Amino acid sequence: MSIERSLVLVKPDGFQRGLTGEVLRRIEGKGYRLVALAVLTPTREQLAAHYAEHEGKPFYEPLVEFMSSGPVTAVVVEGQDCVKGFRSLAGATNPTDAAPGTIRGDLGRDWGTKVQQNIVHGSDSHESATREIGIWFPDLEG
């Protein structure tokens, strides 16, 4: 196991529902350290960089539109294997499939085809985390 960093986003649906504090409580309860935190409404440029690998896919435009629809809480977390650990804490992408005890399983709603409205984003690999942290926190060192 290694100490690493990951990007976590509390998406507009989670922010609007007042779930940022609960998400942060679960992250800290898991033993991860908060390294950086910002509340902002993402720009289209930020989102284009963040979701570049999905450009051209059918869900890309609805996702960018949703993610730019209101404030998000962007957080850099640090801890042992926190990329994998946070993804486990978040639960399955579709809140309907997410296990009880996970963020999406406990707090998510069934939005039908709007699966992007699933409260949180977490980096899916160490490489993605490094790239994403650079997009959301360009002045953050190492």
Side-chain angles (χ1 to χ4, degrees), residues 11-12 41-70 72 116 136:
K11 294 180 176 184
T41 300
T43 66
R44 185 161 183 86
E45 293 75 27
Q46 267 180 314
L47 295 169
H50 183 90
Y51 293 115
E53 71 272 16
H54 299 304
E55 190 172 3
K57 295 178 182 174
F59 61 85
Y60 177 80
E61 281 302 324
L63 178 59
V64 169
E65 186 175 314
F66 164 66
M67 288 296 293
S68 62
S69 69
V72 304
Q116 70 267 21
W136 295 86

Side-chain angles (χ1 to χ4, degrees), residues 29-129:
K30 185 81 172 168
Y32 301 137
R33 185 171 77 91
L34 305 181
V35 175
L37 185 143
V39 175
L40 66 147
T41 300
T43 66
R44 185 161 183 86
E45 293 75 27
Q46 267 180 314
L47 295 169
H50 183 90
Y51 293 115
E53 71 272 16
H54 299 304
E55 190 172 3
K57 295 178 182 174
F59 61 85
Y60 177 80
E61 281 302 324
L63 178 59
V64 169
E65 186 175 314
F66 164 66
M67 288 296 293
S68 62
S69 69
V72 304
T73 304
V75 186
V76 177
V77 301
E78 182 178 79
Q80 285 192 332
D81 289 326
C82 70
V83 170
K84 181 180 175 185
F86 178 76
R87 290 183 66 80
S88 177
L89 186 63
T93 301
N94 185 335
T96 302
D97 299 333
T102 65
I103 292 168
R104 293 174 179 144
D106 292 349
L107 307 173
R109 295 179 174 172
D110 180 2
W111 294 109
T113 60
K114 298 181 179 183
V115 176
Q116 70 267 21
Q117 294 185 26
N118 61 3
I119 302 173
V120 292
H121 161 83
S123 302
D124 65 3
S125 68
H126 175 71
E127 295 76 22
S128 291

